[in-house]
Amino acid sequence: MAARDGALTGLHDPAPTADLLVQIFDPVGRPRGTGFAADPEGTLVTSHEAVDGAARLLVRAGDAVTEVTGAAITPLPRLGLALLHTRGLGAPRPLPVAAPRAVGRGAYVRIAAGGWREARVLGTTTVTYTASDGPRLLDGALELALGTAGTDALRPGGGAAGGPVLDAETGAVLGVLGTTLHTAHRTAGFALPLTGADGPLAALLARNAATVPAYGADLNLAGAARLTAAASAPRVPAARPERVPRAEVTRHLETFAAPGAHRPHGAAEATEWAAAEETKAAEGTEVGGAAVLALVGPPGSGRTTELAALAAHRAAGAEASPTLWLRGSDLLAADPSLSAAASRALARAAVPGGCGARTPVASGMPGTPCAEDLRPERLARVAREGGRPLLLLLDAPEEMPDASAERLPEWAAATAAWLRTTGARLILACRPEYWERLGAAFPRALLYGPGTPAGRSLPPCVALGDLSLDEARLVRARHGIPDTALAPADARHPLTLRLLAEVRAECPEPGGRPDRHEILSAHLDLVCLRVAARLTGPAHPRGTAVRRLAAHVAGQVHAAARRCLGPGQGALDEASFALLFSGGATARPGAGPGAPARAGIQVGGDWVPAVLAEGLFVRTGDSHRFAHEELGDWLQGMHLDVEAALDALVLRGASYSAASRTEWYGAARPADGPAGSPPVPPAPSVPPHRIGPVVEALLLLARDRGTAELTYQLGRLVDALEVLMPAEPPAADLCPSPGTPLWWALRLLAETLLRVPDATPYTAVLDRLARRILARYAQARPVPAELGPPLWEAVRLRAAERFDLLRRLVVTDPPPGAPGDPACPRFLDAAARLLTADPAAVQPQLTRWFEDDRPLPATPHATVATAAQALLYTHRHGALDHLTEALADSAHPRGEELLAVLAEEEPSAMRRAVERWERDERPARRAAAVRYAPRARAREAGRALPHRTSPALPAGAATR
């Protein structure tokens, strides 16, 4: 080994030495020592003897030289070390510092002393270090066995002081060389450890562990983050730059993923803290509280987008957090818990080049991962000790193999136990129907969530739906979509906005105001056209022949949707996918790649690469699925026989008389079969999360055959409820098990009514449903949550019809202190929210409640009429002028009572009303002006009036 131009070189350098080490000189150029970077900011570690007594130093890294003075030098004499804070040096690649551990006697190390040399550890000892201010004893120094050349290289003043001592297996720094250290029996070959530190060195070591990857016995937080990123890279979708942050969802995700406790800076405190955490894990005690968060929403609501944004956020910056991305298709039927899938994903990180450029090289080389590093339990422990718990992201657990889905309770219990033991955390994103079953299998104490979403019998979760008004407005602005380009029902739906933006990019000025169905159809046409263009190549412009080829592609896509309705549960196996999109299909229109030849274009037989490249399908495990689940459900719904599906899932052979058919359909509808036909066979095993195609098929009925057909089918579901809902359920709440006929009837009815763009044509269905609810209430029977206030509040109705239904149902509200959930949704609460949102439209509807004197059991001494009075009074400030007009229009004594109160409490508003009424030609208005003018003007002038009480306010929602 030789020194050349002042830079250390050697035959066994793991990398160019200039990239790893710096040299330290005094102002006149004499060597003082060596150092290495310990963080990306260029903080250097060296020995104290290299800086002892110096107020100004020169630091050289490669060809760059910088000056370090004053506060940039942090001496640590009681440790025999020093820190140098450099700027503008172009700092060398940081070296990882070894984890606190015992170094075995005889272990091989590599030292930087006149080049890279090999040495052996003889043990640890106490050494004497003589600084300018006197000698001191330093404990735990490594005693090294060196050859003669190595001993000569460590002579004082030779520039080796401060050089790193590297573990030969892991490449991590075990200590820092000293040239003036000695004991009674030796004078050379000692290195000072970097453990047992506090203060600035402890903070530096924490940054090192979080930013500089180490593997093997020295696996640290940065290494764990690098491994999980490498294992996740092939599956994590790219975060979209145009994504608009969803503040409420982001807050929940970041709160859940944040560490419950941070590791202390001091080594002794950190060791004690880690031991306490290990004890908790060994005892099965929850580490960090809630360990499972479910991001629950319908297809197209942005579940995967939010997970990808969280993964990108945790991977950003120098201090990445360990995050492992998995899909439901990564699980195998025999997996006892999620840890098995995590182990397989991590094993891929050790394959050279298997996961992209970020993948470490193969195992067995110094500084690369070993088999032990790939155990998720070890990664979780390292992450927990580093203060950043390992986070597993499970997207689309619905893609689990069928056998795994049948074992959900056992799988969830084992996964929960593993999370408790390791301190890892899990965020999964799925449909509400799937979480209803999976969430019930997890211990409730382990679940994070603000509560059960209103109107759904779901375990705690974070609900994901449409964008807020401001978020949707920002998305439309970023995509250049006018606010009037969409119907209100679709204007806040994330996937609809995204697909419309793609369509508008090809057709900037589309005509009309497309609805969701038209946008999905246009997107499918666009993607099929792109596939056709990719197949034909640049030689063929997008003319008639290419459009014909695109039509053939679309035909195969529809064939794929039909096959997805079969045993594949929404997926196509490899054989089916290859048959549809390769040369194995027949050459008739819409049947396969052979057909396009008749369009005048010769195309190769394999369409699979083009179909996958355009993002129409994605590979999940050993199958293929539609890339957009909502698009897949919509396509499959086109090919589903609604009548047969409802018979199989809900009705199970129930027959309906001609009178019933006439009632719902509006005319005598032919029976589906002859009288006395055999009952429908038992329902096939359809997972509840496959509800999407059935709902889409129902929605398409109204579009293709008219609202009368959908009214009839919904009416069948309403009539089936009376038979399916038990008279005496085992519990106070009626929560049907997922997949039962009652569950299917409730969910299909509620989901369809909520998703129709206008529910006015289905008022007869809602009326019948309201009567059923009232009948069950009169018999003291519970009503499922799916039929509760959130349904009636959200269904798209005109205000008159909605408030007529709410008026009838408000008597079923439970009292505020009723047993069970104190925050149970109430119809009076729904009316109050609607009034607050649009007071001018709702106030006239509430005045119609003045005629209803039915008592409210939930509020003693109150009626529906007095509740309406109380609501109007409590929320009067939203639109006072509109309220006075609505009360005057009602011409009801209760309205006059409230006007009298407003004359006292809101004299300015009443004065304005009187001034309007005095100019009004209607006699009733002029009479009202005469009645209220003296009181309003006197009150506004500040004169005392006889005391009047305001309307009695029902306790609870009306006063909130």
Side-chain angles (χ1 to χ4, degrees), residues 457-732:
S457 303
L458 295 179
C461 61
V462 174
L464 191 66
D466 283 350
L467 301 166
S468 68
L469 290 173
D470 291 338
E471 292 165 351
R473 191 177 299 113
L474 184 54
V475 169
R476 292 195 296 271
R478 289 186 177 182
H479 288 301
I481 300 174
D483 289 344
T484 58
L486 283 165
D490 303 317
R492 296 191 294 124
H493 189 257
L495 183 61
T496 300
L497 292 172
R498 178 181 173 186
L499 299 186
L500 178 59
E502 293 183 14
V503 173
R504 287 175 61 88
E506 296 289 330
C507 181
E509 298 297 332
R513 195 184 193 189
D515 59 15
R516 171 180 166 275
H517 173 89
E518 293 168 333
I519 292 171
L520 290 174
S521 181
H523 171 74
L524 178 63
D525 293 344
L526 175 61
V527 175
C528 290
L529 189 62
R530 288 174 175 171
V531 172
R534 186 180 289 270
L535 289 171
T536 57
H540 296 276
R542 291 188 178 184
T544 302
V546 177
R547 288 197 294 271
R548 288 177 182 172
L549 177 57
H552 287 294
V553 175
Q556 295 307 103
V557 172
H558 279 276
R562 286 193 295 271
R563 288 184 180 242
C564 287
L565 290 169
Q569 305 293 7
L572 289 172
D573 57 37
E574 291 282 1
S576 299
F577 193 74
L579 179 64
L580 288 168
F581 297 108
S582 70
T586 58
R588 66 177 187 273
R598 302 194 315 193
I601 301 175
Q602 298 297 326
V603 181
D606 190 5
W607 293 8
V608 171
V611 172
L612 293 177
E614 290 301 331
L616 189 55
F617 289 86
V618 293
R619 190 185 301 274
T620 57
D622 57 356
S623 61
H624 293 80
R625 294 177 181 270
F626 284 96
H628 298 305
E629 188 178 3
E630 184 176 12
L631 176 66
D633 287 350
W634 174 73
L635 282 167
Q636 293 167 56
M638 290 183 178
H639 303 283
L640 185 68
D641 186 332
V642 174
E643 194 100 10
L646 296 188
D647 284 341
L649 297 172
V650 179
L651 306 175
R652 308 287 171 87
S655 60
Y656 291 87
S657 63
S660 175
R661 293 173 181 274
T662 302
E663 177 183 5
W664 287 117
Y665 199 77
R669 187 175 190 269
D672 299 320
S677 58
V680 176
S685 177
V686 179
H689 62 268
R690 291 288 291 145
I691 192 175
V694 188
V695 173
E696 294 289 351
L698 285 166
L699 294 172
L700 287 167
L701 276 182
R703 187 178 188 90
D704 297 341
R705 304 185 195 176
T707 58
E709 179 67 26
L710 180 55
T711 299
Y712 166 69
Q713 298 296 350
L714 294 178
R716 297 176 72 200
L717 294 174
V718 172
D719 290 343
L721 290 179
E722 188 63 23
V723 178
L724 296 173
M725 286 192 292
E728 299 295 337

Side-chain angles (χ1 to χ4, degrees), residues 312-324:
H313 172 73
R314 287 174 63 88
E319 298 187 5
S321 299
T323 308
L324 181 61

Side-chain angles (χ1 to χ4, degrees), residues 888-911:
D889 286 339
S890 70
H892 193 279
R894 295 193 183 278
E896 294 180 0
E897 290 177 3
L898 191 50
L899 281 172
V901 174
L902 294 178
E904 293 185 9
E905 300 193 9
E906 305 291 345
S908 298
M910 283 303 299
R911 176 183 53 78

